[in-house]
Structure formats: structure tokens, C-alpha cells
Amino acid sequence: MRKLSAIIICLALAAAGAQAQNTFQGGYFMDGYLYAHKMNPALTADRGYLGIGIGRFGVQTMSNVGYSTLYYPAGNGKVESFLSDNVSSQDFLRKLNKNNVAVADLQMDVFNLGFWTKNDRFHTVSISAHINDGIAAPKELFRFLKDGAADGSDFNFSSLGSKTRAYAEAAYGVSVPLTESMRVGAKFKALVGFTYARTNFNRFDVSLRGDRWQISTDGTLAQCNFPQEQSGQDIGISDAVIINPDNVTSDNLKPCGFGAAIDLGATWDILPWLQLSASVTDLGFIRWGKGQNMAARGNWTYEGFDNISMSGDDDLGNKLEQKISELDNLLKFNKTGDSALNDILPATFYAGAKFSPLWWLSAGVLGTVRTDGPYSWGELRGAVNLEPASWVGLSASAATGTLGPKYSAMLNLRLLVLSLFVGAEMSSLYLVSEEPGQRISFKDLDNFPVMFPRDNLNVDLTFGVNIVFGYTRAQRKAMKATLYDYE
Amino acid sequence: MKYFRYFLLLLALTGVMQSCVDRDYDMDNLQDESLTVLKGLEIPIGDFEEITLKDLQLSDEFSLIPLSDLSFRLHSTVTLEDMNELFTGFFNMSEAEIHMVVRNTLPFDFNITAIPMYDREYPVEGAEIEIISNGKPHVPAGTLTKPSSSELTFKLDFKEFGELNFDVLRLVIDGQTGKNIDSPVLNDRQGFKLEDVYIKCPKGVKI
């Protein structure tokens, strides 16, 4: 039970979900941000750029639960978990959603190139590594732990699930002008998959009645190069939903699947101060050729024992041991066969409107929807951008959505030929640290606290350093105008 | 206007830097020693095999002692053990109730005492044991044709330390016959049986 509790807390706080897809939406409307085309291939960078190694790095977690859901101040500086008797069940359960999701993404671009060509086309080439993880835990699971059988004896955990995917992506994109005010873009992606696992339960019922306990499971695990010690053998539920990094070996770095995806987008400058845009990204799949299917199915019933021996081999301890062994088998994923797995990538839809009343001030509204079963999410974001000089820009945005609120800021600097950006997004301006009261201090970097938002575990951090080259957008406009005047 | 732009920039930066640590959430001071799960849980144990007089005479674990007044005293212990096979630390509960029905066909009036043990052999001190249901841990004598049946509930409360922590529960059974009992009168098929044993954890299990 201790293990189960630890798993739940781990899942909710540390786990990562399958497709947060770090793109830093806070930079969507920022003129100086080089990578808005990651969200809409019709969008362009104002100059050409080259990024090698640290062109763009991003890590993102999103969740509809967080520290303030699972932990509560107990007074006197103490903190206690939701399992404490001092935390009322009502207070805790009303903070939960029917399905509690944590998703995360680590994305590192190892090579990025963007450049303009004479016909006003903007091209991008990139090679990047992606690790996506996710977990879904039903409210029933938390009710089971918190209330137990005191508030009903039947539980349905069928929305428990997890998924993970690690792959490399090589992409070429182009943004093409259709008219003076309209652009369309497409990005073509070749994908090489390294690790994949997805756990689902069609049925996971637990009934704890006084005279009879019953557990029924019907779960599947599809995996390829899954970094588990027992991968390929029978593995337990906790092993199927949490990756142990210690078990990652060189075998997990061998290609295991191949796929392709496409991004499509368009922008329309409907008025000089108003631009509409829409896109869809990651329409595609990875086919995991060396996939493996596993299943955990069965029923387990415990009604006590008959004729328990007072001593000897047939005593209560031995009988229980045998029964627990049957339960272990029920909760194990057994290999059912090898087959190629088709993994449809979760597509993301963007729709935005950007208002630019002044040349140094703009604002935008961006709607984002990701579709992926229990890991789906949507948000509506409002952003304000200040770009008072060609070498500096700042964007601030706030979003609300199915995984809670988010507040982000991004700073973009141009120093000679270097373009640096750093962006951060949090669900709350209140943070949780292992060193309470310590404010963020850049003067004391040795003790810089590792902090998480207090509320929903929505964190998005991105940074990058790129070399920029070529004419700026303003210069290109001026040249174009001159050309028209000359004609 | 130029300065206004820089002022706005500065204001926005200041806003970002205002993010501060919530002092109420000092995760270094996480109290994780007292987590309760599965409130109201009932654990079915089942029925134990009947211990007959024949078994009692053969077993080292039961002693049938003839007394000078021609009565017999029976002393035994029954251990509900290894429950922590089910869940680690399962017997860490703030309160537990052990229910059972004792069916007796022996001509012994029994008293049953419950002793929670830790490390299998050391009695837990400070445990408060209350007998509920019929109020007495008493099982009246019965006969083969007319067995007595008593429903017992031992309520264990460890108020002193706030929770129970034991790995086995020892039931000490003490019985005595009336005087002038002639041992051949006893039929070796007579015995006693623990039936419908289950454990309730009204306040849950500490993990």
C-alpha cells in the first residue's frame, strides 16, 4: 500500500504526460521569437537564423493537479499530504477532476536553420529530439485511498493509463506568400522512434465489501523498447505506468519505429493592424515495427478462507501468501504477441488573432486544442508583446484551459548576431520550494531554489541561443517598397 | 512616449520577478509519518478448522490440565498472523475491531483474551482492548448435540500512541470444566471453532 501511495503521488507530481509538446505558446505572437513556426508553419522569423546544440531547448509539464491539490499546510510550518486525517475528504476530493492528468515533454533541437529566399519564402530545417510522457489517474483512485470503504465499496479505475514516447525528428518547413496579405505554410517531418509504451484499461474494478473483495482487470500495454527491467517479461501495473530511469539502457536507444507527420498553417493580414492565423501540427504517425502487446486480464476474488489451520502448512499466512500471489498475477501484464504498432501522433490545432495598434505594442488571442483521448487539453490565451527596440522584446501572456491557468513571460534579446530568448510559464505566481521564504535571487545562484508552482503543475521553460543573419523584416519591407516605387 | 515604453517593460519584468515562494508550503517539513488509507475497510478472514478434543490432546500448543477437584483446565493460544502479507504494515491502525463467532461443543466455559503482538512475540504495551457485542469475552460450555455459539468483537485502541502497530494477534483461550468431570465423558469429536472471522478498520490503515 505504501508503494501504491507513492506511485499516486509520483504520478501526479513527477509524471509526465504524453504530449505536452513543448512549443511555448507564449511566444506565438512575438515578432522577435524565431520559433513561432513550430506552432504554425506559415509564421516566419524576422531574420534567418542558425542554431546548433542550444538553438532551442524546452521542458514542459502540464497537469490539472499540483502541490496544493496533494499537500496542505498543517500550521507551524508543517505540510501534510491529502492522506492526513486533518485534511477533510470533501476539501480534497472537490479539488480533483474526474480524470487527473499530468503530461510532460522534453524537447531539444540539435540543429536549426531558418532562412529567407528571394521569392519571400521562408524555409526551416531542424533536427530535434523529443521525449513525451503522460499519466492519467481517475478521481476514484484518490477516493479509494482517502475514503476507502467508508464512502462506498465499489471503485472504477478504468481511466488509469500512461504513455511515453521518445523519438527524433528531422523537419523541413516552408512558408509561402499567396497574396500580399496571406501566407500558407507546411512542414514535413520524418520521425525515428526509440521508445514507446501506452497503457490502457478497459476495465479496472475494485470492490471491497466486508465479506468479499473482488478485482477485475482488462488492461493492455503496447510497447516498443520500453525501458523496464522486465520489458518483454511479465510486468506489474506500477512498472507499466512509471518508467524507472535506472533501467534505460543502450537498447532503448536503438531505432524501433519510423513515421512521418505534417504541419499545415495559414496567416491572413486582414487589416494592417489585425492578423488572423490558424494551423494544425503533428498530423502523422509512428509505426513501431518491433512492437509488443501485453495484457493484464482476469478476476480475483477473496472471501476469506475455509478451514484455516491453527498451525502447520495450511495456516493463515500460507493461505494469504498464495492468494496474494494470485493477485500479483492478475495485476501483471503478460506478453500476448509481437506486432507492429501504429501510433497516431496527437494533433494540435491553433487559431489566433493578433492586434498591432502600435509598432512596438501588439496583443493576441490564441486558442489551442490538443486531441489525444484522456490526455487531451485545450486553452485560450491572451498575450501582450512589447518590442520597443529591435534588440529587445518582452511578451507576457495568461491562459486558461482544461489543465488550469498559466502565466508566462518571454524575453528576447538581439546582441549583434546573437539572438537569445528565455521563456517561463507557471500556473501560479506562488511557488513551492524546499527552502521556504527564499525568494528568487540571481545573486545567490549556488542556492538557487528548485521551485514548482503551488497550484497546477503547469511549467514551461524554454531558452535558446541562435545566430541570426540576413535582412530584418523591416528592411525587407523597405526594399520591397523601394522596388515597387522604382517600378 | 519613449520612457513610457521602457516603464511598461520594467513593470512587466517586475511583475514576473514578484513570483515568490509560499511560506505555507515548506516541503522540507512534510509530515509523512501519518498517512491513513482505506477507511472503513473490512478484511474477511474466514473460518478456522475445528479444534477437537482429540487435537487438543495431541498438540503441544494446547494444554489440557487435570485439576485436583477433578475439573480440567484448557489453555491455548490461537494466532492470527502474517496479515502483513496482504499489505505492508497492515496492522498499523488507529483502531481495529476483530469479529468472530466461537462455536463450542466442549464442556468448558472459555474466556478469550486478545493480545496484539509485535515482532511475533512481544506484547504491545498500552493497547486498550474493549470487548463489545456481548460485553464479555466469554464462551459458555456446549455439547456435541447442543453447541454454544458466541459472537465476540475485540475492539483494539492504542490511544496512548495514536496507532496500533502489531503483526500478529494472539488469542489466549482459557477454559475450565465443572468439577468432578470424568475425562472419558468427553467425546474426542467435541471441540471449538472460530467462524466468520473478519477485521474492521473503521479509521483506516496507517501507511
Side-chain angles (χ1 to χ4, degrees), chain A residues 1-2 5 67-68 71-74 77-81 83-85 144-150 208-213 302-311 315-317 320-321 324 358-360 386 388-389 391-392 394 409 429-440 442 451 454, chain B residues 1 4-6 8-9 12-13 15-32 34-51 59 61-62 77-90 92 94 192-194 198 202-203 206-207:
Chain A
M1 192 51 59
R2 190 190 306 274
S5 171
Y67 274 93
S68 64
Y71 295 102
Y72 296 80
K78 303 284 185 187
V79 180
E80 54 194 7
S81 83
L83 292 172
S84 165
D85 292 338
F144 171 73
L145 289 171
K146 179 67 180 167
D147 286 348
L208 293 180
R209 301 197 178 278
D211 56 347
R212 181 186 172 97
W213 292 1
Y302 171 60
E303 300 171 289
F305 304 104
D306 285 330
N307 289 322
I308 303 165
S309 172
M310 295 288 189
S311 59
D315 65 5
L316 182 58
L320 276 172
E321 195 174 337
I324 298 306
L358 300 168
W359 66 266
W360 53 271
L386 295 170
W391 58 271
V392 62
L394 181 73
L429 293 181
Y430 290 99
L431 304 175
V432 170
S433 166
E434 292 191 353
E435 297 178 62
Q438 182 175 345
R439 288 173 182 273
I440 299 171
F442 292 99
M451 288 177 285
R454 183 192 62 185
Chain B
M1 193 56 151
F4 179 64
R5 295 200 312 257
Y6 286 112
L8 279 182
L9 188 62
L13 278 170
V16 172
M17 297 306 294
Q18 282 302 310
S19 294
C20 63
V21 174
D22 188 334
R23 288 167 181 270
D24 288 337
Y25 281 85
D26 176 1
M27 300 310 290
D28 257 0
N29 285 330
L30 177 63
Q31 289 183 308
D32 56 359
S34 179
L35 306 177
T36 305
V37 296
L38 297 171
K39 288 175 187 165
L41 187 69
E42 291 186 16
I43 310 155
I45 302 296
D47 300 336
F48 284 77
E49 66 180 3
E50 182 171 21
I51 301 297
S59 171
E61 298 175 11
F62 301 89
T77 57
V78 175
T79 303
L80 301 181
E81 61 181 329
D82 290 340
M83 287 305 297
N84 52 3
E85 288 286 343
L86 198 56
F87 297 114
T88 303
F90 189 78
N92 293 345
S94 57
F192 67 92
K193 188 173 184 186
L194 307 182
Y198 66 97
K203 294 180 180 174
K206 302 278 186 183
I207 59 171

Side-chain angles (χ1 to χ4, degrees), chain A residues 123 203 436 483:
Chain A
H123 306 262
R203 189 176 75 246
L483 191 62

Side-chain angles (χ1 to χ4, degrees), chain A residues 18-31:
Chain A
Q19 73 301 9
Q21 201 72 343
N22 179 266
T23 47
F24 204 81
Q25 289 95 321
Y28 187 90
F29 298 110
M30 202 172 185
D31 284 337

